[in-house]
Amino acid sequence: TAFCRSLLLCRKDPSREIERYFEPEKEFVYYEDGHLEEKIKDILNNWERYAVVVENAFQKAKREYTTKRFVEKYLINL
């Protein structure tokens, strides 16, 4: 999603696994159970605020989550 320059919209769950990779409200957006429609309306009505989140996630993905970065981080010293 980040590489496609799309908004990462995630249901908030107890594991919060996505926070290992992206920062909430800076690089992705949570929605709470029962509030998805409300969140989508907010996104559509305030896109300029969310466009920054999209760009932040894209830049982080390019910097941290490419195949080249994976090789450098985990395989180069094998």
Side-chain angles (χ1 to χ4, degrees), residues 15-30:
S15 74
R16 296 185 178 180
E17 187 68 24
I18 191 160
E19 291 182 26
R20 292 181 55 200
Y21 306 99
F22 295 101
E23 187 177 331
E25 304 308 316
K26 182 180 177 190
E27 298 159 342
F28 78 95
V29 176
Y30 273 130

Side-chain angles (χ1 to χ4, degrees), residues 8-59:
L8 289 158
L9 179 60
C10 301
R11 184 178 66 84
K12 195 170 199 175
D13 65 359
S15 74
R16 296 185 178 180
E17 187 68 24
I18 191 160
E19 291 182 26
R20 292 181 55 200
Y21 306 99
F22 295 101
E23 187 177 331
E25 304 308 316
K26 182 180 177 190
E27 298 159 342
F28 78 95
V29 176
Y30 273 130
Y31 71 91
E32 306 265 347
D33 284 337
H35 297 279
L36 178 60
E37 184 177 349
E38 177 183 322
K39 181 57 83 172
I40 290 172
K41 285 179 183 178
D42 184 55
I43 292 165
L44 293 173
N45 290 325
N46 300 289
W47 179 249
E48 63 283 343
R49 185 175 67 214
Y50 292 96
V52 174
V53 175
V54 170
E55 186 63 23
N56 289 342
F58 175 71
Q59 293 302 325

